[in-house]
Amino acid sequence: MNIQTNPNKLRGFERHIKVEKVKVENVSRRSILKGLGIAGGFVLAAPVMSRPAFAAYKTGADKMPHGTVVDPRVFVAIAPDGLVTIVAHRSEMGTGVRTSLPLVVAEEMGADWSRVRVQQAHGDEVKYGNQDTDGSRSTRHYLMPMRQIGASARTMLEAAAAKRWGVPATEVKAINHEVVHDATGRRIGFGDLAADAAKQSVPSIESLKLKDPKDFRYLGKGEIRIVDLRDITVGKAQYGADVRLPGMKYAVIARPPVTGGKLVSFDGTEATKVSGVEKVMEVKGWPWPSKFQPLGGVAVIARNTGAAVKGRDALKIVWDDGPNAKYESVAYRAQLEEAARKPGLIVRKEGDVDAALKGADKVIVGEYYLPHLAHVTMEPPTAVADVKGDKAEIWAPLQSPGGTREDVAKTLGIPEENVTINVTLLGGGFGRKSKCDYALEAALLSKDLGAPVKVQWTREDDVRNGFLHTVSAERIEAGLDKNGKVIAWRHRSVAPSIASTFAADTVHEAAFELGMGLVDMPFEIANIQCENPEAAAHTRIGWFRSVSNIPHAFAVQSMVAEIAHATNRDPKDTLLDLIGSPRLVNLSSVKDLWNYGEPYDSYPIDTARLRKVVELVADKGGWGRSVPKGHGLGIAVHRSFVSYIATMVEVSVDEKGKLTVPRVDTAIDCGTYVNPERIQAQIEGAAIMGLSLAKYGEITFKDGKVQQGNFDNFPVIRIDEAPLVTNVHIVPHDPDTPPSGVGEPGVPPFAPALINAIFAATGKRIRALPIGKQLET
Amino acid sequence: MIKLKINGQEQSWDGDPDLPLLWFLRDEVGLTGTKFGCGQALCGACTVLVEKEAVRACITSVSDVVGREVTTIEGLHPTGDHPVQKAWRDLNVPQCGYCQAGQIMQAAALLIQNPKPSRDQIREAMAGNICRCGTYQRIENAVHLASTGV
Ligand code: FES
Ligand code: FES
């Protein structure tokens, strides 16, 4: 295993170190044709050249493994009948990206969307650039490259038409799937021009003319529906487990119940007697921690999944539980909370917080606790693999198709070029499907069996053997002067790090975790100190939608309301006071400021934008309006994934403590955007996920084992408990503001806004999640 | 040999009669529109119609439906234009889409039993179907749209 030990580079992973080795010149035309799968009709094909993206604003895109590829010949094909095929190289897990990015290309090309077909890219980052669909990065990193690709294709089409007519290219323009020459009224369809356009040289990025945003036909409008909409509603959309190959076997696996445990022995006699079971076999496991390598265990191979599950129930297995056999959540919580009460590694320091706290008129202390969470994507992990000799083909729901290709090659010991990764639709991702262990399991089994295999995780497997969201204790001390002004702020965050899944002995949060709402806290306070005491992991920790922003924002935004209460002021006014003057926050005191991998110049922390979403949500949501008895309003704001989001929640708590949420309002400023309708959908969904984690979300351990297994003991919000209405207010589209994240940032402010609303309704301050029975009387 | 009727077509099965219908549909017949989400009747992803009732295919064995009509998402409407399917598209309900076949089948069953459900009745009838993406507000509106036309 090649494990990167510098945890600060873990987002984007150890794959960074391989970038220099990649050569792009040798990708053949044939492979492009194959990739696009339209023999004969392909025209804009030529050798692939990667070039840096030229952009009005800079993003961190080129620092991602394999960077960006801006080349119309890779992403666009035009058939003689005019059908335009645009490649979607990011994974679709519900955000709408498979529609949005191709739509951007179509917009700039002047293509008519009804004559566009979207084709999903294989996992091939040399060809397409980075494909890690995580970190709320797709639109942020690819809006401009996709515009350039579209503009480039348009320029080639226009040049071809101008040449045919013998007029200057400046006199023609592409519009609605044809190129027109206004002066003479001549027009030629894209299909007729395709062959000639392919012969044009690809213009330099610097020479491209982008469309004036006021001429946009699709971008920013929200009128285009996702390309898979019809298929989804008729049962034709293809997810991972829907792939069926001739001769395919079905497998379920019994994995070690404790992280770091291993197989001692097994008896498959009874299992093999189950009707439909064909074989019982060992699956290779890797010692912990080993990034995304399989845990190992015993596989039951059958003619269908039901038989495999029944066979697994009949297995007799002896496990060695290993070093984490004593992991126990009650004791671990006490340990984290104890650590939070003592000094830890200082990760941000401005002024003298000790002196300021000592001299303060009043010190408010808040201790918060947030437990482990499981992703429970509606589609549990699953993958199909067909390994033949030194070639492997995978079909799976993957957030990281490029990384999976590397990992499959490494695991099987075959060259990367021999691995084909087919990306299906993802039935939810939330970070779980950034880890490809399930695809590696399928590859190992297929190799051993010499047949195609589908590995299906059951829900219990998903809950018990996944990569959990961290567990954390957060402690904030706020020192106030005699006027109630906050003069000191010390925030300690203690949580096992995702880096522990890559490197043993990890005890500190990585820069990318600290940078999610701890060290980038935007308040205008003279004395600030952030600390990160040590915490060791005892299970696999992984990215979960919005990651460390969940605990950090919960602590910070709960504390704001606690300060408001202690000083008898309005929570929204207190929040705005703390944010302070409109400015770009100077974070030069923070070493390794992550800033979501983005250059600070393009994506500074702009408190004017932060204030604006607070004011917008307060205005639209009617902050201060009178509410019925038992109701309360709460507010919270958080910048994450370089977007600004404020949420206002109205709750109702009855005499028995039953919590309902009549209304949610969320304001989002995500810069320029593609599809406001999908932004709205993401924010509606984030409210549900926020409510789920606040109300019920908790994974606990005893004797090293996860105590939950399915939706009965790890409940999520259902429709009868969902907010009655969630209103989404998008800060109007400004084409000059760089695009920022949408998929994740809706989650962090929800729980604190909810908890603050509960306090307003009941006077009860909840400091540990989930709410569970805490409101019951 | 078990004989059953799925989307109007005869199917037979000579394997384990206790095999959950879900896996028979998906792995043996190849009707993959019906999804697996929990295997314990907790999420509704596997919902199909058995005659006029919504049934969880993950806990229904093949032998339970002998001689009965099973309808899956693929067979709900010949052209995929059942009022519920149309309403789902009109309101852009799906995000990842994985739960939606189950949601649509549950909604279709509700409208058979109760063509004009109230908002509360919609929320009650749909509460067995989880959507982890959180499309509930649109599901409620889409069921309402399918039942009332507005
Ligand atoms: S899979 Fe049947 S109810 Fe969840
Ligand atoms: S749309 Fe993703 S689970 Fe419902």
Side-chain angles (χ1 to χ4, degrees):
Chain A
M1 280 303 301
N2 189 1
I3 293 166
Q4 168 89 325
T5 47
N6 177 357
N8 293 341
K9 291 220 176 112
L10 285 180
R11 185 126 186 160
F13 311 155
E14 91 292 359
R15 302 180 48 220
H16 271 300
I17 56 182
K18 293 199 65 198
V19 177
E20 314 81 56
K21 289 190 212 142
V22 171
K23 289 272 177 295
V24 295
E25 290 80 17
N26 61 0
V27 179
S28 71
R29 183 173 191 276
R30 197 170 51 83
S31 72
I32 298 165
L33 277 166
K34 187 169 162 248
L36 281 167
I38 26 175
F42 187 86
V43 288
L44 286 179
V48 181
M49 295 292 285
S50 169
R51 61 185 83 234
F54 168 80
Y57 51 86
K58 284 218 173 341
T59 71
D62 287 324
K63 282 193 283 173
M64 296 297 292
H66 300 108
T68 51
V69 170
V70 179
D71 191 326
R73 297 165 300 188
V74 173
F75 285 90
V76 182
I78 306 174
D81 67 357
L83 182 73
V84 170
T85 299
I86 302 178
V87 171
H89 74 304
R90 312 285 284 184
S91 302
E92 182 58 81
M93 54 186 146
T95 63
V97 72
R98 197 170 117 82
T99 305
S100 306
L101 290 181
L103 186 67
V104 175
V105 176
E107 174 77 81
E108 278 290 349
M109 267 182 85
D112 172 11
W113 186 247
S114 69
R115 284 178 274 177
V116 171
R117 182 181 81 118
V118 172
Q119 181 168 311
Q120 191 67 34
H122 289 149
D124 186 346
E125 294 189 338
V126 175
K127 184 170 172 182
Y128 301 107
N130 184 264
Q131 294 180 273
D132 287 336
T133 313
D134 59 15
S136 299
R137 273 189 278 249
S138 291
T139 303
R140 183 163 111 222
H141 282 179
Y142 281 96
L143 176 57
M144 186 55 77
M146 290 296 147
R147 287 189 67 186
Q148 291 164 341
I149 286 166
S152 197
R154 183 217 321 130
T155 307
M156 291 161 82
L157 288 159
E158 287 172 345
K163 191 168 168 209
R164 197 179 293 181
W165 291 325
V167 301
T170 47
E171 286 182 14
V172 306
K173 66 172 185 270
I175 193 161
N176 198 26
H177 234 76
E178 49 189 18
V179 177
V180 298
H181 184 237
D182 267 345
T184 58
R186 284 178 290 186
R187 46 188 67 224
I188 318 177
F190 280 6
D192 288 341
L193 281 170
D196 286 354
K199 293 181 201 133
Q200 296 292 321
S201 58
V202 176
S204 74
I205 293 175
E206 294 74 15
S207 71
L208 294 174
K209 269 209 158 68
L210 297 179
K211 222 170 168 178
D212 185 332
K214 76 171 169 24
D215 297 331
F216 283 161
R217 179 176 173 190
Y218 305 118
L219 259 59
K221 307 258 193 285
E223 284 153 15
I224 297 299
R225 293 161 191 270
I226 54 171
V227 291
D228 300 298
L229 184 59
R230 187 174 182 92
D231 283 353
I232 288 170
T233 61
V234 300
K236 274 203 207 129
Q238 199 173 59
Y239 299 85
D242 301 339
V243 174
R244 294 161 55 81
L245 301 179
M248 186 177 79
K249 310 289 180 195
Y250 295 79
V252 298
I253 300 173
R255 299 176 188 79
V258 180
T259 304
K262 53 181 194 284
L263 181 67
V264 175
S265 63
F266 69 94
D267 174 357
T269 320
E270 292 304 311
T272 26
K273 286 184 195 154
V274 170
S275 165
V277 169
E278 295 174 1
K279 197 175 170 139
V280 175
M281 61 198 282
E282 187 174 342
V283 189
K284 185 178 175 197
W286 272 252
W288 177 74
S290 59
K291 205 184 110 180
F292 312 143
Q293 295 305 115
L295 296 169
V298 181
V300 177
I301 313 295
R303 65 167 286 165
N304 61 55
T305 315
V309 169
K310 200 168 174 183
R312 185 176 68 171
D313 290 343
L315 286 174
K316 293 193 185 67
I317 305 181
V318 180
W319 304 105
D320 169 358
D321 285 342
N324 294 313
K326 294 213 161 63
Y327 187 32
E328 201 276 320
S329 290
V330 176
Y332 192 72
R333 173 177 175 175
Q335 195 184 315
L336 293 182
E337 286 174 339
E338 201 43 49
R341 291 179 195 125
K342 295 188 191 121
L345 179 71
I346 296 172
V347 289
R348 176 178 175 186
K349 183 177 167 67
E350 280 146 42
D352 185 341
V353 100
D354 283 315
L357 282 171
K358 216 172 269 167
D361 187 60
K362 190 182 219 170
V363 175
I364 304 168
V365 181
E367 294 190 334
Y368 308 96
Y369 173 76
L370 296 95
H372 283 303
L373 302 170
H375 304 81
V376 292
T377 53
M378 210 65 230
E379 169 198 48
T382 182
V384 173
D386 189 9
V387 179
K388 285 199 184 82
D390 65 350
K391 293 218 166 34
E393 187 156 6
I394 305 285
W395 293 258
L398 299 163
Q399 286 181 249
S400 175
T404 302
R405 191 182 194 204
E406 290 175 14
D407 287 353
V408 169
K410 253 187 268 178
T411 302
L412 297 178
I414 60 176
E416 237 182 86
E417 308 82 76
N418 292 7
V419 180
T420 305
I421 302 287
N422 302 281
V423 183
T424 65
L425 291 177
L426 284 66
F430 314 127
R432 172 62 184 91
K433 292 167 186 168
S434 292
K435 302 102 172 171
C436 61
D437 53 341
Y438 47 99
L440 301 177
E441 289 173 340
L444 288 167
L445 285 174
S446 174
K447 184 184 174 183
D448 286 355
L449 283 167
V453 177
K454 179 188 295 176
V455 168
Q456 177 66 58
W457 286 45
T458 62
R459 180 60 62 199
E460 288 77 9
D461 300 339
D462 175 47
V463 170
R464 293 179 183 148
N465 289 122
F467 296 78
L468 298 175
H469 172 65
T470 191
V471 45
S472 59
E474 306 283 323
R475 186 175 198 271
I476 297 178
E477 296 156 82
L480 280 59
D481 70 11
K482 61 181 187 320
N483 301 319
K485 184 179 163 58
V486 179
I487 53 164
W489 178 275
R490 170 157 49 213
H491 183 169
R492 290 198 190 114
S493 172
V494 198
S497 170
I498 290 166
S500 66
T501 299
F502 296 74
D505 304 324
T506 303
V507 290
H508 287 294
E509 291 177 42
F512 70 78
E513 291 163 317
L514 298 170
M516 290 192 185
L518 180 70
V519 297
D520 53 336
M521 194 282 297
F523 296 162
E524 202 169 27
I525 299 171
N527 303 285
I528 296 176
Q529 187 157 307
C530 301
E531 299 173 28
N532 176 225
E534 296 184 358
H538 298 290
T539 188
R540 298 199 291 185
I541 311 284
W543 295 269
F544 174 101
R545 189 180 187 182
S546 85
V547 201
S548 301
N549 286 295
I550 295 171
H552 296 150
F554 184 76
V556 171
Q557 295 297 312
S558 294
M559 192 49 160
V560 172
E562 299 219 35
I563 293 167
H565 177 66
T567 55
N568 206 11
R569 279 188 303 163
D570 176 74
K572 183 205 85 181
D573 294 344
T574 305
L575 179 56
L576 289 172
D577 280 356
L578 279 161
I579 294 170
S581 56
R583 68 197 188 286
L584 304 184
V585 176
N586 180 347
L587 283 174
S588 55
S589 65
V590 178
K591 200 168 74 165
D592 295 331
L593 179 69
W594 187 49
N595 204 37
Y596 301 88
E598 303 303 335
Y600 203 74
D601 288 348
S602 314
Y603 293 96
I605 301 176
D606 182 342
T607 57
R609 292 175 74 185
L610 201 59
R611 294 181 66 94
K612 186 168 175 183
V613 288
V614 173
E615 279 156 358
L616 181 64
V617 85
D619 178 39
K620 299 284 187 186
W623 181 258
R625 67 184 144 91
S626 68
V627 291
K629 193 171 165 330
H631 288 230
L633 302 176
I635 194 167
V637 69
H638 189 66
R639 171 189 180 267
S640 66
F641 305 91
V642 291
S643 283
Y644 302 82
I645 305 215
T647 293
M648 183 177 146
V649 176
E650 178 180 352
V651 300
S652 145
V653 182
D654 73 12
E655 338 56 75
K656 293 213 179 71
K658 186 173 182 297
L659 170 70
T660 49
V661 181
R663 177 171 173 181
V664 175
D665 288 85
T666 294
I668 171 167
D669 175 355
C670 56
T672 188
Y673 50 78
V674 177
N675 187 349
E677 190 278 327
R678 284 294 93 180
I679 296 172
Q680 187 186 334
Q682 284 299 296
I683 300 303
E684 289 167 7
I688 303 293
M689 190 166 273
L691 187 56
S692 285
L693 73 89
K695 202 167 172 181
Y696 297 124
E698 182 168 34
I699 294 291
T700 55
F701 284 81
K702 194 165 189 300
D703 300 327
K705 301 182 179 92
V706 170
Q707 291 179 285
Q708 294 73 25
N710 211 317
F711 293 115
D712 49 353
N713 47 23
F714 186 75
V716 296
I717 293 297
R718 294 166 181 274
I719 195 170
D720 56 345
E721 306 169 277
L724 291 177
V725 59
T726 296
N727 302 307
V728 181
H729 315 287
I730 304 173
V731 172
H733 187 167
D734 167 9
D736 294 329
T737 312
S740 51
V742 172
E744 294 168 271
V747 175
F750 188 89
L754 175 83
I755 293 302
N756 291 341
I758 290 171
F759 181 79
T762 65
K764 193 166 167 55
R765 169 61 55 188
I766 289 173
R767 296 191 180 86
L769 293 185
I771 297 165
K773 296 186 189 320
Q774 294 180 71
L775 290 173
E776 284 180 15
T777 49
Chain B
M1 181 76 81
I2 289 175
K3 285 207 188 306
L4 56 165
K5 211 171 195 187
I6 299 167
N7 299 335
Q9 288 194 336
E10 293 278 352
Q11 301 284 350
S12 57
W13 173 237
D14 56 4
D16 181 0
D18 292 338
L19 178 69
L21 177 63
L22 171 65
W23 303 118
F24 180 69
L25 292 171
R26 290 185 52 81
D27 300 349
E28 299 290 347
V29 184
L31 289 168
T32 54
T34 305
K35 301 301 187 214
F36 167 63
C38 70
Q40 307 280 355
L42 296 165
C43 79
C46 65
T47 304
V48 297
L49 292 180
V50 175
E51 266 106 55
K52 292 176 176 172
E53 254 177 276
V55 158
R56 306 296 186 229
C58 67
I59 54 152
T60 304
S61 61
V62 177
S63 58
D64 288 342
V65 289
V66 174
R68 303 178 70 188
E69 293 264 356
V70 177
T71 306
T72 70
I73 185 75
E74 292 93 338
L76 182 61
H77 186 276
T79 58
D81 293 317
H82 185 282
V84 171
Q85 290 171 311
K86 288 211 286 208
W88 244 246
R89 296 192 289 264
D90 283 348
L91 299 187
N92 294 304
V93 173
Q95 287 185 32
C96 81
Y98 190 82
C99 72
Q100 302 295 347
Q103 307 274 5
I104 288 169
M105 297 310 283
Q106 186 72 40
L110 166 64
L111 296 184
I112 294 171
Q113 321 276 320
N114 179 1
K116 295 271 178 279
S118 67
R119 292 266 170 182
D120 281 345
Q121 286 170 331
I122 294 172
R123 287 164 76 95
E124 196 189 317
M126 300 302 295
N129 291 68
I130 292 173
C131 174
R132 182 62 164 156
C133 296
T135 62
Y136 297 129
Q137 181 169 325
R138 295 182 190 215
I139 288 172
E140 182 186 323
N141 290 337
V143 178
H144 187 75
L145 174 64
S147 102
T148 60
V150 285

